[in-house]
Amino acid sequence: MTEKHGIPITRQAATPAKAAAIRAAVARTTTLGPGGDSSRLATPEDAARLHEFLEDPRIHAAIYTLPRPLTVESVRAFISGHQSERECGTGLLFLTFDKAGRISGYSDLCLWPEWAAGELGGAIHPDRQGQRQGSSGAKQSFAWMFDHLGLDLICETAAPDNIRTAQLLDHLGFRRMGEITSQRPDGTTRPSLVWEITRAEWQKTPG
C-alpha cells in the first residue's frame, strides 16, 4: 500500500473506546453513503472491470495510491488488500455503477482509528466530471464519514497541479496544511498538498 506516514498532520489521540467504535463501523460497512443504491464494496471478481476503468490515463495519472504497474493482477491485489483493511477497520474500497452496470467511479477510504481520522480518495469517469456530480458526491461522502464512521477529522491530499480537487476542497471549507512527499507502492514519490477539516468545522460549513 501507499506510504502515508506524513498524514494526517493533525494527530489527536482518540480514546480506546472511540477507536474501537470506528473500527467496528468500518468493518460492518457495505455501502458508501446513506442510500448506497449504486455503490458496493469491491471484490476480487471486479478486478478486470476495475482495471478497464482505471486504464484511462485521464483517471489514473493523477492518483498516486493506485498500484504500479497497473495490471489486472495488481488491481486484484489492491482490492484484496482493502478487504483485509476493512476487517481491521482501516480501509474501504467502493465501486459505483451506472445504469448499464458499468463502473462509473470508485472511492478509496484510508482510516486512522487511533486519531479518529480518515482520507477519501478515488475518481469518477471523465464523462461525469464538470456536471457537479463529483462535488455533490464528495460532499455527501465527507458528511457520511463524519456521521456514519464517527470521525473527528478528514485529511485530503492532491498533486500541486490538481486544480479541480484544490478548488473543491477550498470550496468545502478544508484548511490548507502544507505539502508532504507521498510515496507510491513502487517506491517513487510525488509532492502532495494537504488539506484538513474537523467535525466542528464541517458542521459550520453552509449547507
Side-chain angles (χ1 to χ4, degrees):
M1 296 300 292
T2 304
E3 292 291 336
K4 296 191 176 183
H5 298 314
I7 56 173
I9 291 176
T10 302
R11 300 185 177 188
Q12 258 189 320
T15 65
K18 185 171 186 65
I22 292 171
R23 292 182 188 277
V26 172
R28 65 172 176 262
T29 293
T30 57
T31 59
L32 175 64
D37 294 334
S38 63
S39 75
R40 63 166 173 77
L41 290 167
T43 69
E45 290 72 27
D46 296 311
R49 283 198 294 175
L50 181 55
H51 175 261
E52 182 180 4
F53 172 81
L54 295 173
E55 269 192 315
D56 189 330
R58 295 175 297 171
I59 296 173
H60 73 246
I63 303 175
Y64 75 96
T65 52
L66 293 173
R68 295 188 178 202
L70 196 63
T71 66
V72 173
E73 287 307 313
S74 68
V75 170
R76 183 174 290 110
F78 180 69
I79 294 171
S80 296
H82 279 79
Q83 289 183 312
S84 298
E85 290 171 0
R86 176 174 175 257
E87 294 175 4
C88 298
T90 60
L92 291 163
L93 183 64
F94 296 101
L95 302 179
T96 304
F97 299 85
D98 61 20
K99 293 181 180 179
R102 296 181 296 252
I103 294 177
S104 57
Y106 83 99
S107 299
D108 182 355
L109 278 74
C110 177
L111 292 312
W112 301 279
E114 65 272 27
W115 298 312
E119 179 187 21
L120 171 66
I124 61 174
H125 194 279
D127 291 347
R128 297 177 60 200
Q129 295 178 4
Q131 303 175 24
R132 298 188 64 83
Q133 295 185 47
S135 176
S136 61
K139 188 171 184 178
Q140 292 174 11
S141 296
F142 291 141
W144 177 85
M145 290 169 71
F146 282 122
D147 297 339
H148 179 79
L149 299 182
L151 303 183
D152 290 333
L153 178 78
I154 294 177
C155 174
E156 294 296 309
T157 60
D161 60 353
N162 191 335
I163 305 301
R164 183 188 297 272
T165 296
Q167 291 176 336
L168 169 65
L169 295 173
D170 290 340
H171 175 71
L172 292 178
F174 281 73
R175 289 175 287 109
R176 294 194 180 213
M177 302 296 291
E179 184 176 307
I180 63 169
T181 299
S182 300
Q183 182 172 315
R184 300 183 181 95
D186 65 357
T188 60
T189 61
R190 74 143 212 214
S192 293
L193 300 179
V194 182
W195 288 257
E196 291 183 350
I197 192 168
T198 66
R199 174 192 291 271
E201 290 168 335
W202 179 262
Q203 291 172 341
K204 292 178 182 177
T205 58

